[in-house]
Amino acid sequence: MTTILKSYEEAYGTATPVIRRSLGSYVESLGPELVGKVIEVTAQAGGQKWPYLSKSLEECKRKGMDLAAYEAEQFRRKGGCNARVDRPTPSGTDILDRLVRRQLRVKKEE
């Protein structure tokens, strides 16, 4: 629990007694690894207040997530499947190299 409080205070500032109790109940229900990961992710996303973190923890609790499911959800949200890939050499699908000129269609006069 002390590592959770330490990571919370590094990211969000001083933890009030109410926040400490709430974090304790989330650690009991979700586990310390998941709560630590949620604190880390919400802090990186720009969360600066307790309600933002609380909402994320409550969503994890409502969905019954574990650490693996939470990380998979974050991967899906960030667009991991469609993420840009920079390659040192072209992939070989350059459409301009294989450009075929179509004949222009001209309207027939009647």
Side-chain angles (χ1 to χ4, degrees), residues 89-100:
T89 58
S91 63
T93 58
D94 190 7
I95 62 169
L96 296 177
D97 284 345
R98 296 179 280 119
L99 188 62
V100 177

Side-chain angles (χ1 to χ4, degrees), residues 24-92:
S25 67
Y26 283 122
V27 167
E28 287 177 12
S29 62
L30 298 173
E33 296 86 14
L34 179 58
V35 173
K37 184 68 172 179
V38 171
I39 290 172
E40 176 188 330
V41 169
T42 55
Q44 288 176 354
Q48 298 175 349
K49 305 270 184 196
W50 165 250
Y52 182 73
L53 174 61
S54 175
K55 179 81 172 173
S56 296
L57 290 168
E58 193 60 41
E59 181 180 346
C60 290
K61 190 175 180 180
R62 181 178 53 83
K63 290 182 177 180
M65 289 184 166
D66 60 347
L67 185 60
Y70 182 74
E71 288 176 343
E73 178 77 13
Q74 291 303 308
F75 183 76
R76 184 190 63 77
R77 284 185 180 178
K78 287 184 180 179
C81 298
N82 296 323
R84 179 185 169 132
V85 177
D86 292 326
R87 295 183 177 90
T89 58
S91 63

Side-chain angles (χ1 to χ4, degrees), residues 1-6 19-25 27 32:
M1 182 64 187
T2 58
T3 58
I4 299 297
L5 286 174
K6 190 176 187 180
I19 292 173
R20 288 175 190 250
R21 282 193 300 270
S22 297
L23 280 174
S25 67
V27 167

